[in-house]
Amino acid sequence: VGRVILQKFLAGDIYGALQGGENVFYYGGPGLRYFRAMEHLVFGESFLGYLTLVLILPLLTLALFGRFLPRRWAIAVAILFVAVPAGALFGTTFFQYAQWASRGFADPAAYIFFVAALLPLVSNPSDRFAPAFFAALLFALAIFMKPIVIPAAAVMLGGAGVCALYSRQWRRVAGLCIGFIPVLSMVLHNWVYGHVFVPLSANATNSLVYVMPPSAWLAALRELVTLHWSGGQLVLALLQIPNWLSGPAESYWTVPLNAAGVAVLVYVVLRGRGFDPWLRLIGAAALAQHAVALFYVATPRYHFLSWYLTALVTVVWLHRVGVGWFNG
């Protein structure tokens, strides 16, 4: 599709190029096709554009962890992230992003843009337009690549916006608002080409991925209260939780470890007043993103971002509090 977009663009058919191969976005990564078109334009018939994006991730990881940790800790975490596949058990690991990017999926690109967006947001909290603008723009690109990251992006942008309004940082507020405007391109595309109002992509409610909608959870609660379990919704609900906590490893053996990580998130967000407020906001974004796993299928690549952010908060907690607890 990216190749066709580029061919139409070079032929002067801008309207056909922007159409992107379908009138209403269905595939859950609508932005990847346009990224591929630009990749072919710059790098030719190759995957070097996506490769470049993936190779930036270790540097982003070093910078993000270095924002909240001493440099030696940040370097150690970055090396572990790249060289040791321990993240396959808890958090995430670099080879998973490289693996799914090489298969042509949009998920790694979305998460890399999201991590890149965090850096100008949490590193430049002053009243400046440019950092806020580029942070919001990168969040918009992340959503365009994979709309599933909306909960975490909403928490980060909402929290940053409230803080900016409270501090009367009007340039920062303007940057966040203007930078995020491109996220409307999806609904605009679907309206112009398909003449329907679809905010994101049409497969968001496909039963193959949207396996436990709120109605199913209500049915499970009804079965629990009435003790009528013949509907099977309670069993599905009970299975959804360990499937979520099995994490990237897709193993029930890792459920206790991942559950401990989520518990650390809750502690830092609700009780961690001694932690950096931006870290607490990232923890809240991770919890919001974890909520997606309660409704959607527990395919690991859908939830890499949740566990990446969980790993960040957990490592900072370990440095600040956990080491002392264990030594005590």
Side-chain angles (χ1 to χ4, degrees), residues 58-59 61-67 69-83 315:
L59 302 177
T61 298
L62 175 62
L64 182 60
F65 278 75
R67 167 64 176 78
L69 290 167
R71 185 161 182 81
R72 293 179 63 181
W73 273 69
I75 292 174
V77 170
I79 292 174
L80 289 174
F81 176 71
V82 175
V315 171

Side-chain angles (χ1 to χ4, degrees), residues 219-267:
L221 180 62
R222 188 181 304 111
E223 290 183 7
L224 178 63
V225 172
T226 61
L227 300 180
H228 293 296
W229 301 340
S230 58
Q233 294 299 322
L234 180 60
V235 174
L236 293 177
L238 292 176
L239 287 175
Q240 190 73 5
I241 295 175
N243 288 339
W244 154 47
L245 292 175
S246 64
E250 294 185 278
S251 172
Y252 290 150
W253 291 102
T254 62
V255 167
L257 179 64
N258 293 325
V262 174
V264 169
L265 280 181
V266 175
Y267 170 80

Side-chain angles (χ1 to χ4, degrees), residues 31-190:
L32 186 62
R33 67 198 72 188
Y34 300 100
F35 178 85
R36 288 295 193 193
M38 292 186 290
E39 179 181 50
H40 288 325
L41 182 64
V42 177
F43 295 99
E45 192 72 17
S46 73
F47 295 98
L48 294 179
Y50 209 163
L51 174 63
T52 302
L53 190 63
V54 172
L55 291 178
I56 293 173
L57 180 57
L59 302 177
L60 296 175
T61 298
L62 175 62
L64 182 60
F65 278 75
R67 167 64 176 78
F68 300 103
L69 290 167
R71 185 161 182 81
R72 293 179 63 181
W73 273 69
I75 292 174
V77 170
I79 292 174
L80 289 174
F81 176 71
V82 175
V84 181
L89 300 178
F90 176 75
T92 53
T93 189
F94 180 69
F95 87 83
Q96 291 172 322
Y97 294 85
Q99 178 186 48
W100 288 104
S102 69
R103 296 178 180 179
F105 286 88
D107 310 72
Y111 307 149
I112 294 168
F113 280 128
F114 190 98
V115 174
L118 290 175
L119 288 173
L121 190 69
V122 305
S123 302
N124 296 279
S126 60
D127 189 15
R128 296 174 57 195
F129 177 87
F133 172 82
F134 284 109
L137 179 61
L138 287 166
F139 279 130
L141 289 174
I143 294 171
F144 192 36
M145 285 290 177
K146 196 73 176 181
I148 201 172
V149 304
I150 280 181
V155 170
M156 293 304 305
L157 285 171
V162 169
C163 291
L165 287 172
Y166 181 80
S167 303
R168 297 185 179 182
Q169 296 176 331
W170 307 121
R171 287 189 293 269
R172 186 171 172 84
V173 172
L176 291 173
C177 295
I178 296 173
F180 198 60
I181 287 176
V183 79
L184 300 175
S185 61
M186 287 180 285
V187 65
L188 181 62
H189 169 278
N190 296 333

